Amino acid sequence: MESAGKFDYIIIGAGTAGCVLANRLSQDGKRNVLLLEAGGKDDYIWIHIPVGYLYCINNPRTDWMYRTEAEAGLNGRSLIYPRGKVMGGSSSINGMIYMRGQSRDYDEWAGLSGDASWAWDEVLPLFKKSENHYSGEGEFHGVDGEWRVEKQRLSWEILDAFREAAKQAGIPNSDDFNRGDNEGCGYFDVNQKRGIRWNASKAFLQPAAGRGNLTIMTGCQVKKLKIEITDGLKRCSGVEFIGGGKAWFAESSYETVLAAGAIGSPSILQQSGVGNGAHLQQVGVTPVHQLSGVGENLQDHLQIRSAFKISGAKTLNMMVDSWFGKAKIGMEYMLSRSGPMAMAPSQLGAFTRSDANQKTANLQYHVQPLSLEKFGEPLHPFPAFTASVCNLRPTSRGHVRIAGNDPLAAPKITPNYLTTAEDRKIAAASLTLTRRIVASPALKKYAPEEMKPGVQFQTEEELASAAGDIGTTIFHPVGTCKMGRSDDSSAVVDSQLRVIGISGLRVADASIMPTITSGNTNSPTLMIAEKAAACILAFHQK
């Protein structure tokens, strides 16, 4: 095993969180930082063209190509489970939607962690710190950060009509989903810069890459963390990994930070002997430290895709149905960086409540001027739109567990979608609400005809079952290394994101979320990394 050297900090994973951490921890030039990434560079052209997510998801060059186990709540179906496998991680292949969630999310984290610094009023400055928002400096937005936020560079008649229909159905218009209360309907803001994807690698890593105290190694797969035990005390002293056909060891003087995401971080901990001891023994891993919560508490947003055939309005289906249409789209992007090639996967959003008992919005819509049978298949040869809706606060909980002691093998991912009565009830209610919006006067002239799930599903039980047939992940896995109080036996990290019972080791990514945020999870992950970096720097300046 060759030595990669000794570093003050080792960061595992160059996704959204890892890029932020690498920038912040190397900023003052005083500490040596090693950033390890299992994937490659983000130099694939389709990463940077917004519509290119179609060619990045389920592509082994850019995606880990995970799949879920067969899901009972999805009537036995297994889903693709995309995770970014390049610099920038999932920010290189995601939908580019800038979304913080609701203030109640962070206030809840403060209660669950016993640390008031996680409350909304305390984390808002962290969101603003990294932000470069098109609207300018204000109470809720910043302009001096690296994370560029822009308006979308397109509009669609059918989406404008849906927005008006939502208003008629009781969902007010909104021009900003990121002020702590995201209820309303409007176009999403996106992480783009003049019509080009703005991923975490461009924003945070490229400006830091030339620093002499930052070493970046790609194509390096972590085998395990080195956990040393001295007088009963456990400390992470470094990382064993494979890269370039060689076995390596890197030593950390101060800390190792796991930023490999909600799938990668718990998998690395388990491969290192940290987790549920009984499970680890079953798969041939020697337990080193008992933490039963590692890999548990998996939460994700399940989107339920209702599709409607229409007439009298332009949709993407017909625009790409001819070579002339495709050429026109390409020319528009080439000349002005606008049009369909600049599209985020979802353009119009809405947040609302499934019923009057909800204190805040618990449903999110992603509305698209297109339709298809399933991801990866061609668009339908007729005009249509899709209104996907997800339960923002699912009560179903799943898990991520390694299947054996091979660090290169995919873990078993079991989200357990729609396994609680509450989640099934809300799924049915959300489909009913979608029908009510589409039946509003603003959409009448387009004669919408429901294709999915189909008008034959009417009762709550029928609609819940139909949701299992058409529901897909919206790619927001979180919670598998949850943050919690010292008396929470399922917690993996404390409120400073330190792994409980092991010094010199933290987790800083979406896996630490005790509960999922009320919206897209990329920018909350960025905020977590900002907070983690501040905690680490403050601790080692003592």
Side-chain angles (χ1 to χ4, degrees):
M1 186 176 296
E2 297 197 27
S3 172
K6 187 174 183 178
F7 301 86
D8 296 306
Y9 303 116
I10 298 174
I11 302 164
I12 299 173
T16 298
C19 289
V20 175
L21 287 161
N23 183 302
R24 301 303 189 233
L25 295 182
S26 66
Q27 201 161 25
D28 64 6
K30 296 178 182 179
R31 306 297 182 193
N32 291 321
V33 180
L34 172 64
L35 176 63
L36 295 175
E37 168 56 39
K41 295 181 179 179
D42 57 328
D43 54 3
Y44 183 43
I45 188 172
W46 286 114
I47 289 173
H48 308 289
I49 299 172
V51 80
Y53 73 93
L54 291 168
Y55 307 103
C56 293
I57 290 176
N58 217 28
N59 177 347
R61 177 172 178 171
T62 49
D63 182 2
W64 281 101
M65 304 284 289
Y66 294 136
R67 293 196 71 93
T68 70
E69 299 296 291
E71 287 279 299
L74 302 186
N75 303 323
R77 292 187 301 130
S78 168
L79 303 179
I80 63 169
Y81 216 67
R83 295 285 87 199
K85 192 185 178 183
V86 291
M87 306 292 278
S90 293
S91 77
S92 295
I93 69 171
N94 71 358
M96 295 163 283
I97 292 173
Y98 180 71
M99 187 65 59
R100 297 170 176 172
Q102 298 171 350
S103 59
R104 64 164 284 171
D105 300 331
Y106 303 98
D107 293 343
E108 184 177 17
W109 289 10
L112 291 170
S113 67
D115 186 343
S117 70
W118 285 100
W120 168 254
D121 288 343
E122 300 299 320
V123 301
L124 179 58
L126 293 172
F127 279 112
K128 292 174 66 176
K129 174 184 177 181
S130 2
E131 190 179 38
N132 177 5
H133 198 274
Y134 68 87
S135 68
E137 182 77 34
E139 180 183 0
F140 294 102
H141 295 293
V143 295
D144 296 326
E146 300 89 344
W147 200 225
R148 179 62 181 166
V149 181
E150 295 187 349
K151 284 186 173 183
Q152 295 188 66
R153 302 163 72 89
L154 48 81
S155 64
W156 295 82
E157 176 186 341
I158 190 64
L159 298 187
D160 292 339
F162 187 97
R163 190 184 192 197
E164 182 60 26
K167 184 176 181 181
Q168 291 168 348
I171 305 172
N173 287 347
S174 175
D175 61 358
D176 189 350
F177 290 132
N178 290 294
R179 293 181 290 218
D181 176 7
N182 53 20
E183 193 157 4
C185 184
Y187 282 88
F188 291 120
D189 290 339
V190 291
N191 293 119
Q192 293 182 7
K193 196 164 188 177
R194 294 186 291 275
I196 297 173
R197 176 190 291 274
W198 195 244
N199 66 353
S201 176
K202 289 179 191 170
F204 297 95
L205 200 54
Q206 285 185 13
R211 296 173 185 165
N213 63 324
L214 175 60
T215 301
I216 302 170
M217 297 180 69
T218 59
C220 294
Q221 175 69 52
V222 170
K223 290 180 63 179
K224 66 177 182 179
L225 306 169
K226 183 70 177 296
I227 310 295
E228 295 182 341
I229 305 175
T230 305
D231 297 329
L233 300 177
K234 299 169 185 174
R235 181 183 181 278
C236 179
S237 60
V239 184
E240 294 181 17
F241 61 98
I242 303 168
K246 298 179 181 179
W248 299 84
F249 174 73
E251 185 179 354
S252 54
S253 300
Y254 286 178
E255 297 196 28
T256 296
V257 187
L258 270 173
I263 308 302
S265 287
S267 298
I268 291 170
L269 285 172
Q270 291 171 9
Q271 290 289 353
S272 307
V274 181
N276 184 302
H279 164 244
L280 297 178
Q281 287 178 327
Q282 287 174 0
V283 296
V285 174
T286 302
V288 174
H289 185 63
Q290 171 71 23
L291 274 178
S292 61
V294 173
E296 304 302 303
N297 192 48
L298 174 63
Q299 299 158 60
D300 190 13
H301 290 141
L302 181 75
Q303 63 171 343
I304 303 169
R305 297 171 57 248
S306 293
F308 298 86
K309 186 176 181 179
I310 62 167
S311 61
K314 178 178 67 175
T315 74
L316 192 61
N317 289 19
M318 304 310 293
M319 293 180 70
V320 301
D321 200 35
S322 69
W323 284 110
F324 176 77
K326 291 175 182 176
K328 185 178 179 182
I329 288 170
M331 186 64 68
E332 183 178 5
Y333 186 74
M334 185 173 68
L335 294 175
S336 63
R337 292 291 184 266
S338 62
M341 287 187 71
M343 279 173 50
S346 298
Q347 300 80 49
L348 187 74
F351 292 83
T352 189
R353 310 176 196 214
S354 61
D355 60 82
N357 294 324
Q358 302 295 329
K359 294 181 179 179
T360 60
N362 69 317
L363 298 179
Q364 178 181 7
Y365 280 89
H366 293 77
V367 192
Q368 307 160 309
L370 55 86
S371 69
L372 67 171
E373 285 301 307
K374 62 181 180 180
F375 188 86
E377 294 193 2
L379 300 182
H380 289 132
F382 47 77
F385 72 89
T386 300
S388 298
V389 61
C390 65
N391 177 1
L392 290 171
R393 293 189 287 277
T395 53
S396 299
R397 297 290 184 269
H399 49 78
V400 174
R401 295 171 184 166
I402 57 173
N405 59 8
D406 179 4
L408 300 179
K412 292 185 176 182
I413 303 170
T414 308
N416 287 331
Y417 297 117
L418 298 177
T419 51
T420 68
E422 180 178 340
D423 285 358
R424 292 176 67 81
K425 183 179 180 68
I426 290 176
S430 68
L431 285 170
T432 299
L433 176 59
T434 303
R435 287 174 172 172
R436 184 157 63 88
I437 294 170
V438 173
S440 296
L443 284 168
K444 186 175 181 180
K445 70 176 182 177
Y446 303 104
E449 177 186 338
E450 182 177 319
M451 298 185 297
K452 287 184 177 294
V455 295
Q456 67 271 29
F457 302 104
Q458 291 294 324
T459 68
E460 182 177 297
E461 184 177 347
E462 289 171 344
L463 288 170
S465 179
D469 287 331
I470 62 176
T472 61
T473 175
I474 204 163
F475 319 133
H476 297 164
V478 307
T480 49
C481 297
K482 68 173 281 192
M483 171 176 62
R485 296 171 177 263
S486 58
D487 59 354
D488 182 352
S489 62
S490 65
V492 176
V493 298
D494 64 15
S495 68
Q496 300 291 300
L497 308 187
R498 298 171 293 200
V499 174
I500 295 168
I502 303 177
S503 65
L505 180 62
R506 298 190 204 227
V507 182
D509 55 34
S511 70
I512 68 93
M513 296 185 189
T515 52
I516 194 167
T517 52
S518 301
N520 310 75
T521 54
N522 186 241
S523 289
T525 300
L526 189 152
M527 181 278 292
I528 289 167
E530 286 278 22
K531 187 167 176 58
C535 288
I536 292 167
L537 292 171
F539 182 82
H540 293 289
Q541 286 174 358
K542 291 178 180 178

